[in-house]
Amino acid sequence: MKTRIALLAMTTVTMTACAPMHGTRVDDNAGRQTAYQDPRSQGAIRGGVGIESQDIVSMTDEMMRDILATPVLVNRSTPAKVVIDSSDFKNESSARIDKDLITNRLRVSLNRSAAGRMVFIGRRNIASVEAERELRNQGIVDQGTRQAAAATRSWDFKLVGSINSQDIMNTAGDKSRSIAITFEMIDINGELVWSGMHEMSKVGRDDVIYR
Amino acid sequence: MTSFTADWRGLAALLMLAGMPAMADNLNSSYQVVAAKAETEGERERVLNHMNAASLALMIQDYDAATRHLDDALLRIEAIYADGEKAARARSLWYAESTKDFRGEPYERAMAYLYRGLIDLTRGEYDNARASFKGGQLQDAFAEEDQNRSDFASLLFLQAWTLHLEGRKQDVVETSREYRQLRPALPTPTQGDNLLVIVETGKSPRKLADGVSQNILVYRRGKRFNDAAANIDNMSLQPVAAEDLYYQASTRGAGRSTKYSTARRSTAAAVNAQATCWARCPAPRKPWTP
């Protein structure tokens, strides 16, 4: 009888020990209703030391104001034709990022605020534009209400830039990341007619148990 | 220049060879199980589950799914764990390791970045790929033993490769120089190279609890595998050993927390490779011995 009890006890212990390894636990924590939060301020969920939504908003707003205050770009008799696209915006940092988040917001903000003082070229859509022009030329479709120019627009200025970072960690476990985002407007002759930079630095430290 | 994409098919095939040779038919169903587990099991093992799901997704060549799983895992790896209720509880002497969310050891985190970077590479997103490889290097730098910091040379090589694909010759030279300090005998990207084959062989290092109170985390080499050869489309490959994950794991030491908390149970690591070998074609070089 004693043996049986001992065996039963061992079996129970073994099963208890094995259960988390082989079974599937289900997270039964209560859910949370979706809530809106302001992308311009730090959200309820804090990430690591990387770029967050409020950083993108603040840096693109800052660059937009600076560009709109640059005479060579906005005080022209003929509005400057500008390309702002992520293809010439390099991520040299240690964090992955969707660069379109930055360039799209900057282009849209500028396009709305410039009110015709700058014209933006959608170079990413050139294949679609060329295809439609070809259809017009062949007479397959009509000429629409917007006169097609002799050739697809070229740009006068193009935004180039890069995201660079420097990571530092000390023996206490503090992690710091300094990020510099450089924006530059280059003209068709290769001259940089405007430059802007947004810098930020973040520091954090994991709880000791996670270091 | 040939896109890296051409290599991915071979990489996936080799991952299958290296990981679970006779289980190709079961991989899909295994993935479904692990992926479901990753979504339902909660935060504590979320990173581990998503890493495992990503490994399986890579094996079945579902790169979109692998991307999702890796992104989920990396989001938590990059987060700063502080001020939370769980962190406070895990810090207490009276709670076991099991209260702590899994974030992986430095080599596991580095491999998550490596795989994410490879996916970016196949999609032609070279700068984000490079960011992932740099991110992996940082995880390696967070390791405890100072003398072994940031010696995950494969990540450096892959950075050089992305620069090579972008045609940035001077940057390739500088990164290659850094790489050669760690792997002097290994090849670096040179003009004309247009194919990189990555062969992974073996199994991940095993993590075991050791010591009188089972409170020390130790590593052992993966075992029970038999890798015979690698052959892609009848190409003759002469791979060179580029990385030894067991070396990376065992020279890191565990996080200092393991000194006073109960070591977590032996767990299957998320990465499936023991060693990573590069093979450029044609680039027969003398093998590097770790």
Side-chain angles (χ1 to χ4, degrees):
Chain A
M1 186 62 183
K2 278 182 182 174
T3 311
R4 277 188 197 165
I5 292 169
L7 278 175
L8 183 64
M10 276 184 67
T11 311
T12 310
V13 169
T14 310
M15 286 177 68
T16 309
C18 289
M21 295 184 72
H22 301 295
T24 298
R25 292 177 300 278
V26 175
D27 180 11
D28 59 355
N29 284 328
R32 182 189 297 164
Q33 283 291 342
T34 306
Y36 283 98
Q37 54 186 15
D38 185 1
R40 296 167 193 274
S41 57
Q42 190 163 43
I45 300 171
R46 295 183 187 177
V49 289
I51 296 174
E52 296 181 54
S53 70
Q54 68 272 18
D55 303 318
I56 292 173
V57 171
S58 62
M59 84 173 78
T60 49
D61 282 351
E62 181 186 339
M63 295 306 131
M64 177 192 71
R65 286 193 297 270
D66 208 30
I67 288 172
L68 290 177
T70 305
V72 69
L73 294 171
V74 293
N75 289 353
R76 292 162 51 98
S77 53
T78 307
K81 294 179 180 58
V82 180
V83 168
I84 295 182
D85 190 277
S86 59
S87 60
D88 286 282
F89 205 73
K90 296 288 179 193
N91 179 14
E92 305 287 353
S93 76
S94 56
R96 298 184 72 263
I97 185 169
D98 183 349
K99 296 174 293 180
D100 284 341
L101 287 170
I102 298 172
T103 53
N104 284 358
R105 191 174 193 282
L106 181 58
R107 186 182 59 250
V108 169
S109 308
L110 268 175
N111 203 2
R112 290 169 65 86
S113 302
R117 287 177 288 166
M118 303 169 88
V119 174
F120 292 87
I121 308 283
R123 188 49 63 83
R124 190 172 283 195
N125 308 105
I126 192 165
S128 176
V129 171
E130 290 296 325
E132 187 64 17
R133 289 173 69 93
E134 184 61 26
L135 290 175
R136 280 193 186 189
N137 290 343
Q138 291 177 6
I140 296 172
V141 298
D142 66 19
Q143 295 302 306
T145 58
R146 181 91 170 167
Q147 182 70 37
T152 307
R153 299 284 188 220
S154 176
W155 50 265
D156 301 311
F157 302 98
K158 187 175 197 179
L159 185 89
V160 297
S162 66
I163 307 167
N164 299 76
S165 70
Q166 175 73 37
D167 291 84
I168 299 172
M169 183 184 160
N170 64 15
T171 50
D174 295 302
K175 297 176 195 170
S176 162
R177 180 173 296 163
S178 299
I179 303 171
I181 301 112
T182 308
F183 300 81
E184 289 181 306
M185 202 68 85
I186 192 169
D187 76 1
I188 200 69
N189 300 311
E191 290 177 15
L192 294 171
V193 297
W194 169 86
S195 295
M197 179 178 270
H198 181 88
E199 292 172 287
M200 50 186 269
S201 185
K202 284 187 171 183
V203 65
R205 180 166 60 179
D206 278 326
D207 212 280
V208 64
I209 205 83
Y210 294 104
R211 267 175 246 154
Chain B
M1 187 176 291
T2 305
S3 159
F4 192 88
T5 313
D7 307 334
W8 187 252
R9 188 166 42 94
L11 171 63
L14 287 164
L15 276 172
M16 292 178 72
L17 277 175
M20 302 179 181
M23 299 174 67
D25 293 343
N26 296 328
L27 282 175
N28 210 355
S29 55
S30 296
Y31 165 71
Q32 300 298 338
V33 171
V34 175
K37 199 173 162 184
E39 294 305 325
T40 57
E41 213 177 52
E43 284 298 308
R44 195 171 75 82
E45 304 279 39
R46 193 177 179 99
V47 171
L48 175 65
N49 288 334
H50 277 286
M51 281 173 155
N52 282 332
S55 294
L56 287 163
L58 287 173
M59 289 179 198
I60 60 174
Q61 302 182 36
D62 187 342
Y63 306 129
D64 288 340
T67 301
R68 283 197 306 276
H69 293 302
L70 285 170
D71 283 348
D72 196 292
L74 291 172
L75 199 63
R76 283 157 179 80
I77 286 172
E78 286 185 356
I80 298 285
Y81 280 64
D83 302 332
E85 183 195 339
K86 280 185 183 175
R89 204 167 23 163
R91 198 169 52 226
S92 163
L93 288 174
W94 307 108
Y95 280 89
E97 177 85 351
S98 55
T99 59
K100 173 183 165 187
D101 287 351
F102 177 95
R103 289 175 79 191
E105 300 303 326
Y107 75 96
E108 292 173 306
R109 299 180 209 164
M111 286 303 291
Y113 280 96
L114 187 146
Y115 287 132
R116 186 65 184 89
L118 289 180
I119 293 173
D120 280 332
L121 209 49
T122 64
R123 292 173 175 164
E125 295 178 21
Y126 300 138
D127 51 359
N128 269 341
R130 194 163 49 253
S132 290
F133 299 141
K134 283 182 184 175
Q137 253 192 310
L138 281 176
Q139 294 302 324
D140 188 45
F142 295 153
E144 191 182 30
E145 295 175 18
D146 288 352
Q147 70 275 20
N148 291 308
R149 288 187 172 190
S150 273
D151 64 353
F152 208 127
S154 307
L155 292 162
L156 211 47
F157 175 90
L158 287 166
Q159 286 174 54
W161 185 258
T162 58
L163 293 165
H164 171 68
L165 293 178
E166 285 183 316
R168 294 165 57 174
K169 293 178 186 173
Q170 188 54 38
D171 292 330
V172 174
V173 169
E174 286 172 16
T175 310
S176 297
R177 190 182 301 138
E178 212 178 324
Y179 174 70
R180 277 202 205 92
Q181 288 175 355
L182 297 170
R183 302 283 186 271
L186 289 197
T188 52
T190 49
Q191 196 168 7
D193 285 352
N194 61 6
L195 177 64
L196 174 70
V197 179
I198 301 171
V199 181
E200 290 188 328
T201 177
K203 287 187 177 177
S204 58
R206 291 175 298 133
K207 297 160 69 173
L208 303 170
D210 199 4
V212 177
S213 313
Q214 298 281 288
N215 64 344
I216 299 171
L217 179 61
V218 295
Y219 298 93
R220 297 286 180 265
R221 282 197 181 277
K223 59 182 183 181
R224 296 198 188 95
F225 63 89
N226 182 24
D227 295 330
N231 190 336
I232 302 176
D233 296 341
N234 295 322
M235 280 194 299
S236 174
L237 297 178
Q238 291 185 291
V240 288
E243 203 68 72
D244 181 352
L245 269 193
Y246 169 72
Y247 174 82
Q248 289 294 338
S250 59
T251 56
R252 287 295 166 273
R256 64 186 80 167
S257 57
T258 51
K259 290 173 188 165
Y260 54 81
S261 60
T262 307
R264 79 182 303 113
R265 60 183 167 73
S266 168
T267 182
V271 293
N272 289 298
Q274 180 188 344
T276 302
C277 310
W278 309 128
R280 292 187 321 177
C281 309
R285 302 288 176 105
K286 192 176 175 184
W288 167 75
T289 308

